[in-house]
Structures are given as structure tokens and as C-alpha cells.
């Protein structure tokens, strides 16, 4: 019991339990409570000299005592989320081979081809409800980290538990080790994966296919979240499997929901006193044309059609820019996912000329290009709009298209700003402005909870749209007053319960649910949410 993190209570084993379980003498004699333990943990974590040390300290705790880990995480969620997730997780993945202590989750490599079902059989519990899986090809904005991408599914699943109350035992992080093209990792003796180049083509597809089927056979109706796949595979896999199994891609769909929620909130600020409050009135410039940007565009188009705009017209409201310039009809080098947004326009090579020519009301960065929102770009936006909406979503902080401070300074405090990684408050013009964090953790845990509670057999776009609506509705006038387009992260459990309720409602109303609809969906969701507390063993 002392060695199993799911059962261990450490010094909180009571005198009765120690006697009954044969633990007397194996622990220091003074018993302390969960709260006392938690106070010690947070003090120790805070005393560490940097965030990576804090990360290691928390992962060590997760490996020793899961209840205490989640108790601390939930109690200090806003403080610790940047440690167990972005931005620190980026550094953790980069150094995964060196900080690795104890294996968590499962690795399935090319050497396991033909045995995926058998390997998944080695997982010790049957009731897995959520799998987060990566192949490590596009980790945050950091590129190909191969098997070291494992930090991402581990971190995301911790957030499923902390934010939405999915039970830890129902979560399984998986890394598909299909190789890496990262030369540094290939020559690093500390690299945890098999040192070979990435599988491509049929070899890759058949490996993924075997995994998806094996996972569904081993854990029927499990929710699979695809995470940090390179975009050449991410879009294809989502299209291939979204109607076959219960699966979604958070980089594409979760990002879209959280961004749409931020946009709805921002429009409450820009709309006050003007007639430009509707989403359909916006011109949206997306810098980056990958998973995040295309996913966001697709959901915005759905949202606009719900406001009555024809789909073709809604698409024309969204402009994308990739590393080769503005996405326009005359280009012959466009990947499939960009084509719906290739409009008639002259070719423009850079963001400044695109912003000048198209006068967008909203500028969203999802390019991984640090500093791309220059002084010139931001002041151009401010010259055309009273309150330009600027979302610099790239993660981690080092990749952000601009900082919060730059966004406010170069728009003379007028920007409505949100970012992917957190930025501190900014003092500008005598007031304090709080940048919002477009954190996917607002959305995916609640989506997952709604899906698994209702036993939904598919994850639909409507679920993401409803999640965005619910999240936006939870932004209070006081949040907007200080410039924040998302609710405080401290409220995330309550927000997740609201999102899960909305998602379950979609599942029930569209016939995707496989459990009986309860009378009070919200109360029923809340009753299933995991609360980290010690149960008595005697
Ligand atoms: P991706 O690899 O699918 O797309 C990146 C896009 O950026 C590509 O279209 C590429 O052509 C474009 N790009 C690269 N260099 C460029 C340049 N110099 N100029 C213009 N475009 C350029 O990656 P994905 O998944 O779309 O992620 C992009 C960024 O967004 C990452 O940093 C990621 O961390 C971040 N992100 C943030 C989220 C959030 O804030 N909630 C959620 C998901 C992703």
C-alpha cells in the first residue's frame, strides 16, 4: 500500500489503519492529515529554484501518492497548471530523457507492430475511459520530440482529473513511438524512444490503425484524444476516425472551442456602444494555417452559420496566412485543410501587408513564430479598430507571437488580448490589464467528462460549439472590465461541470448517448466527479 500511488496515504495512514494493515513501524509515528500534508507539499514546491524542479517534484509526488497530488493540484490549480502543463511541460519534454525516473502510461513502438492488443492487455485495469495519445511529432510549438512527447499526454490527463473530475484510474497516457526526425535526439544516448527515422506512408497508417482498433477492443467505447501529431497526419487521422470511433483532436477542435469562447467574450467589449458585436461582422486574420488555425476557422464558420450566414460567405470572413504568405486561390502549394480558406486575392508575402490590405478586426496567431506580431502590425490593427482583438496563441511562452505587454503598448492599451501561455498583468496608462489565457484546459476536460458520462459513441463539432457557448457565458462583467475574456482558472471545475452538462445534453439529444438520460444532468455529472480524499481502510 505504501508503494502503490493509488492507495498510498503516506504519513496520513491512521493509527488504526497502520495496525490493521501491518504498517506499524514502516512510517514515522506522528500521523498528519491530508491538509497538513498538502501545506507541506506546496511549501516545498514553492521553495524550488525553478519551474522544472517544481515539475519534477510534483511528478514525484504523483508517483508516490496520487490523492495528495490531486488534492494539492486542485487547491492551487491556477498556480500549478503552468508547472504541470504549458509552458513548463515544454521544457520537461525537451529534457524528458534526463528527468525520467519512473514510467507512467504506455509506450507502443514499431517493434510492437502486430502486438498492440496484447500490449494494451498489460495495462492493469479494464475501466479505462480516456486515452490521450501522441506520436510526439509537433509538441506544442517545439517540433518533433519523438517519444519525449510523453510529457504531454501525462500532463493532459492530470488536467482531466484536476479540472473535470475524471477518475485517475480511468486515464491512460500513451505514446506511439513511430521514430523521430530530430537529429539531436537520434544521437542522444538518453533518448527514450527507438532511435530511427519516423515511419511514413502505409507503414505509419497501418500502425496507427492497429492501435486505434486494439484500443477500442481492449477498452470498449474509450474516448481517444489525439494530441500533438504533426499536421500532415493530424487532419487525416481526425477525418478517418471521427465517424468510426469516439475520438477528437484537441489541437484542432479543443483550441477552436476555447478561442471561439474568447471571441464571443471579446465581442461583448467591442460591441458595447457600436454595431459590430456580431461574429458575422468580423474579419478574422489567422496567422498560421495549421491545426489550431484551421480548427478555429472551421468552428467560427459553424458559429457564423448558426447566426444565419451562408457557409461560403462565412468562410470568406476567415483569412489564413502560412509560412509562404497569404492563403489565396492562385496558390498551387496548398494542403487540403487550407483550401476552403483560399480566397480570391493578390498574393501577399507578409503579415503587415495582409493586415493593411484586409483590415481585420481580429488577429489570431497560431504559427509558433515568436515576435511575428510586430510593433508595425499591432499599431496597424489599432489604427483601424478601436479595440483590435489580438490572440497570440502559440506555446510555450517563448513562441508567442507577441507578449501581453507588447500587445497593449503598441495598441495604446486598446487591444483585447489573450495568449496561449500565461502572461502576468500589465500596467498601462494608469490601469492594470489582465490578459486572458486561451487555455485548452477550460474545454477538453469538460468535453471528456460529458462524453464519458453519457457514454457518447462519437465526439461532434456541435459539442465543441456548445462548449464555447457555455464557457463564454461564464465570463463575468468584472472579468471583461479588466480585459480578461476568460473566467478565472480557479473556477475551472465548476466550468467543466457546465461544459460536461452541455456536451452530455448534445449526446442525449442526438442519439449518441448509451446511458439513460438522468432528470438533472448537471447534478448527475457532479455526482461522478472525482474528489481527492482519503477513504478509510478500516
Ligand atoms: P501546425 O504545425 O499545425 O501549424 C503551424 C502553422 O504555422 C503552419 O500552417 C505553418 O505554415 C505556419 N507558419 C510557420 N511559420 C510561419 C511563418 N513564418 N509565417 C506564417 N506562418 C507560419 O501547429 P498548430 O497545431 O496549429 O500549433 C501552432 C501553435 O499554436 C503552436 O505554438 C501551439 O503551441 C499553439 N497552440 C495554442 C493553443 C492554445 O493557445 N490554446 C492550442 C493549440 C496550439
Amino acid at each position: 500500500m505504501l508503494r502503490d500511488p493509488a492507495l498510498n496515504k503516506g504519513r496520513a495512514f491512521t493509527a488504526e489503519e497502520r495496525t490493521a494493515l501491518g504498517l506499524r513501524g514502516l512510517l514515522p509515528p506522528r500521523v498528519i492529515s491530508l491538509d497538513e500534508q498538502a501545506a507541506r507539499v506546496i511549501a516545498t514546491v514553492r521553495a524550488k529554484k525553478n519551474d522544472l524542479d517544481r515539475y519534477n517534484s510534483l511528478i514525484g509526488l504523483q508517483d508516490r501518492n496520487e490523492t495528495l497530488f490531486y488534492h494539492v493540484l486542485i487547491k492551487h490549480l491556477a498556480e500549478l497548471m503552468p508547472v504541470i502543463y504549458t509552458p513548463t511541460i515544454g521544457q520537461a519534454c525537451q529534457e524528458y530523457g534526463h528527468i525520467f525516473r519512473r514510467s507512467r502510461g504506455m509506450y507502443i513502438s514499431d517493434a510492437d507492430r502486430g502486438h498492440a492488443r496484447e500490449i494494451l492487455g498489460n495495462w492493469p485495469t479494464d475501466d479505462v475511459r480516456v486515452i490521450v495519445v501522441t506520436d510526439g511529432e509537433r509538441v506544442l510549438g517545439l517540433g518533433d520530440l519523438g517519444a519525449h512527447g510523453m510529457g504531454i499526454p501525462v500532463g493532459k490527463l492530470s488536467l482531466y482529473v484536476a479540472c473535470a473530475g475524471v477518475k485517475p484510474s480511468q486515464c491512460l497516457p500513451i505514446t506511439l513511438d513511430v521514430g523521430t526526425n530530430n537529429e539531436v535526439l537520434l544521437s542522444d544516448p538518453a533518448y527514450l524512444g527507438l532511435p530511427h527515422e519516423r515511419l511514413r506512408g502505409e507503414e505509419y497508417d497501418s500502425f496507427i490503425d492497429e492501435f486505434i482498433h486494439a484500443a477500442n477492443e481492449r477498452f470498449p467505447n474509450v474516448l481517444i484524444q489525439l494530441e500533438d501529431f504533426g499536421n500532415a497526419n493530424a487532419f487525416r487521422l481526425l477525418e478517418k476516425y471521427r465517424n468510426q470511433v469516439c475520438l477528437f483532436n484537441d489541437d484542432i477542435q479543443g483550441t477552436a472551442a476555447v478561442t471561439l469562447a474568447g471571441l464571443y467574450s471579446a465581442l461583448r467589449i467591442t460591441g458595447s456602444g457600436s454595431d459590430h458585436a456580431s461574429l458575422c461582422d468580423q474579419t478574422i486574420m489567422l496567422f498560421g494555417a495549421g491545426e489550431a488555425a484551421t480548427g478555429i476557422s472551421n468552428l467560427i464558420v459553424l458559429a457564423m452559420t448558426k447566426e444565419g450566414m451562408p457557409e461560403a460567405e462565412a468562410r470568406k470572413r476567415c483569412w489564413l496566412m502560412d509560412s509562404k504568405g497569404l492563403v489565396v486561390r492562385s496558390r498551387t502549394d496548398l494542403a487540403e485543410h487550407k483550401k476552403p480558406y483560399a480566397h480570391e486575392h493578390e498574393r501577399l508575402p507578409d503579415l503587415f501587408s495582409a493586415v493593411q490590405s484586409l483590415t481585420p478586426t481580429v488577429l489570431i496567431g497560431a504559427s509558433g513564430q515568436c515576435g511575428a506580431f510586430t510593433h508595425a502590425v499591432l499599431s496597424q490593427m489599432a489604427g483601424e479598430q478601436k479595440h483590435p482583438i489580438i490572440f497570440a496563441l502559440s506555446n510555450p511562452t517563448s513562441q508567442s507571437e507577441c507578449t501581453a505587454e507588447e500587445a497593449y503598448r503598441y495598441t495604446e492599451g486598446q487591444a483585447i488580448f489573450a495568449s496561449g501561455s500565461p502572461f502576468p498583468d500589465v500596467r498601462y496608462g494608469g490601469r492594470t490589464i489582465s490578459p486572458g489565457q486561451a487555455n485548452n484546459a477550460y474545454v477538453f476536460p469538460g468535453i471528456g467528462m460529458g462524453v464519458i458520462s453519457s457514454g457518447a459513441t462519437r465526439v461532434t463539432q456541435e459539442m465543441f460549439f456548445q462548449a464555447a457557448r457555455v464557457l463564454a457565458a461564464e465570463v463575468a462583467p468584472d472579468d471583461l472590465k479588466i480585459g480578461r475574456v476568460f473566467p478565472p482558472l480557479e473556477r475551472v471545475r465548476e466550468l467543466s461541470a457546465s461544459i460536461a452538462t452541455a456536451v452530455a445534453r448534445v449526446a442525449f439529444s442526438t442519439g449518441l448517448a448509451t446511458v439513460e438520460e438522468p432528470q438533472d444532468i448537471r447534478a448527475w455529472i457532479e455526482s461522478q466527479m472525482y474528489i481527492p480524499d482519503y477513504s478509510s481502510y478500516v
Side-chain angles (χ1 to χ4, degrees):
M1 295 192 84
L2 295 175
R3 298 264 156 87
D4 183 339
L7 302 175
N8 188 18
K9 299 184 183 184
R11 290 178 58 200
F13 278 109
T14 62
E16 296 75 30
E17 286 172 332
R18 294 175 187 212
T19 303
L21 300 169
L23 298 178
R24 282 180 71 177
L26 299 180
L27 287 159
R30 183 166 171 191
V31 176
I32 61 173
S33 68
L34 178 59
D35 281 330
E36 285 169 303
Q37 287 179 307
R40 273 161 202 234
V41 169
I42 194 67
T44 308
V45 169
R46 284 176 182 153
K48 298 283 176 199
K49 58 182 188 307
N50 59 49
D51 279 339
L52 190 60
D53 286 352
R54 285 183 196 100
Y55 174 85
N56 285 331
S57 156
L58 285 165
I59 291 293
L61 176 63
Q62 187 176 21
D63 288 340
R64 288 193 310 278
N65 182 338
E66 213 162 61
T67 313
L68 179 54
F69 168 77
Y70 284 114
H71 185 80
V72 173
L73 185 55
I74 291 169
K75 199 161 172 186
H76 305 279
L77 200 54
E79 178 183 348
L80 297 182
M81 204 185 284
V83 180
I84 63 146
Y85 206 65
T86 183
T88 311
I89 194 73
Q91 193 190 353
C93 288
Q94 286 172 312
E95 300 187 23
Y96 218 64
H98 298 277
I99 63 175
F100 180 84
R101 293 289 177 277
R102 180 177 169 157
S103 192
R104 174 167 285 275
M106 300 194 85
Y107 295 83
I108 305 178
S109 76
D110 188 37
D112 304 318
R113 190 181 282 276
H115 300 278
R117 172 65 187 84
E118 186 187 326
I119 286 168
L120 289 169
N122 290 342
W123 189 251
T125 58
D126 295 335
D127 186 31
V128 170
R129 303 298 307 278
V130 189
I131 287 174
V132 177
V133 60
T134 190
D135 74 355
E137 185 167 12
R138 196 243 57 194
V139 175
L140 306 172
L142 300 169
D144 183 352
L145 298 185
H148 292 183
M150 182 55 129
I152 299 288
V154 168
K156 284 235 155 166
L157 283 162
S158 298
L159 296 183
Y160 267 100
V161 178
C163 301
V166 175
K167 294 177 184 63
S169 60
Q170 294 180 327
C171 298
L172 173 53
I174 295 184
T175 286
L176 299 177
D177 179 16
V178 294
T180 179
N181 293 347
N182 181 328
E183 296 294 336
V184 177
L185 292 177
L186 284 172
S187 56
D188 182 355
Y191 179 56
L192 299 175
L194 297 180
H196 62 73
E197 280 191 2
R198 280 193 173 272
L199 304 181
R200 296 289 185 206
E202 166 52 26
E203 257 191 324
Y204 176 87
D205 287 357
S206 58
F207 181 74
I208 300 287
D209 202 59
E210 183 191 342
F211 163 72
I212 297 279
H213 289 106
N216 271 277
E217 211 184 298
R218 169 78 174 97
F219 308 112
N221 205 23
V222 67
L223 168 65
I224 299 178
Q225 176 179 326
L226 302 178
E227 190 64 40
D228 284 4
F229 284 71
N231 71 31
N233 292 321
F235 289 106
R236 284 186 319 109
L237 297 178
L238 180 60
E239 283 319 307
K240 180 168 177 189
Y241 293 110
R242 73 198 301 175
N243 295 319
Q244 269 187 42
V245 295
C246 185
L247 164 148
F248 75 103
N249 180 309
D250 188 53
D251 305 304
I252 300 175
Q253 297 168 287
T255 308
V258 76
T259 307
L260 179 61
L263 267 181
Y264 278 137
S265 306
L267 294 179
R268 282 163 63 190
I269 304 177
T270 59
S272 53
S274 94
D275 52 1
H276 285 285
S278 144
L279 189 62
C280 291
D281 293 325
Q282 308 307 311
T283 301
I284 295 148
M285 176 85 238
L286 292 118
F287 184 70
E291 296 171 50
T294 320
I296 293 167
S297 307
N298 293 345
L299 199 63
I300 288 176
V301 168
L302 175 71
M304 285 180 170
T305 61
K306 298 229 178 211
E307 288 182 11
M309 192 178 238
E311 192 178 320
E313 212 175 304
R315 278 204 216 106
K316 288 191 186 140
R317 294 281 166 167
C318 300
W319 292 86
L320 305 186
M321 184 147 213
D322 65 13
S323 55
K324 312 241 169 54
L326 191 63
V327 170
V328 290
R329 186 75 57 84
S330 59
R331 281 181 53 179
T332 52
D333 58 348
L334 296 176
E336 274 316 302
H337 61 271
K338 301 178 192 176
K339 287 185 180 162
Y341 301 99
H343 310 310
E344 281 306 340
H345 198 282
E346 62 173 314
R347 288 188 175 214
L348 293 173
D350 65 284
L351 182 60
F352 180 73
S353 41
V355 165
Q356 216 174 19
S357 166
L358 298 165
T359 60
T361 53
V362 179
L363 175 61
I364 299 174
S367 63
Q369 299 301 305
C370 154
F373 293 176
T374 57
H375 187 165
V377 165
L378 292 166
S379 30
Q380 174 67 25
M381 289 288 298
E384 298 287 341
Q385 316 298 327
K386 179 156 186 269
H387 288 297
I389 300 172
I390 311 284
F391 290 176
L393 298 184
S394 291
N395 292 320
T397 320
S398 60
Q399 312 303 116
S400 190
E401 284 81 5
C402 66
T403 64
E405 217 204 309
E406 288 162 347
Y408 297 127
R409 187 151 27 99
Y410 299 145
T411 62
E412 295 178 2
Q414 294 304 305
I416 301 165
F417 177 79
S419 53
S421 294
F423 280 105
D425 289 355
V426 173
R427 285 288 297 169
Y428 186 88
R431 67 185 181 117
T432 301
I433 321 178
S434 287
Q437 190 192 355
N439 193 328
N440 289 27
Y442 280 118
V443 168
F444 70 80
I447 299 254
M449 190 62 181
V451 166
I452 66 174
S453 308
S454 61
T457 52
R458 300 287 181 273
V459 190
T460 61
Q461 276 293 82
E462 182 66 17
M463 293 174 178
F464 291 95
F465 175 70
Q466 293 302 338
R469 292 288 295 264
V470 165
L471 180 58
E474 295 281 355
V475 179
D478 282 349
D479 295 323
L480 296 179
K481 232 182 255 167
I482 53 169
R484 195 167 52 202
V485 292
F486 295 100
L489 259 181
E490 286 81 357
R491 290 184 54 210
V492 72
R493 274 178 81 91
E494 177 202 337
L495 302 169
S496 295
S498 303
I499 290 173
T501 306
V503 166
R505 216 166 256 140
V506 174
F508 287 120
S509 66
T510 54
L512 292 172
T514 51
V515 304
E516 204 173 314
E517 182 170 349
Q519 281 222 314
D520 181 342
I521 299 180
R522 180 164 186 126
W524 167 78
I525 295 273
E526 283 175 352
S527 72
Q528 295 173 65
M529 287 172 74
Y530 164 78
I531 297 169
D533 205 355
Y534 293 136
S535 46
S536 173
Y537 294 127
V538 289

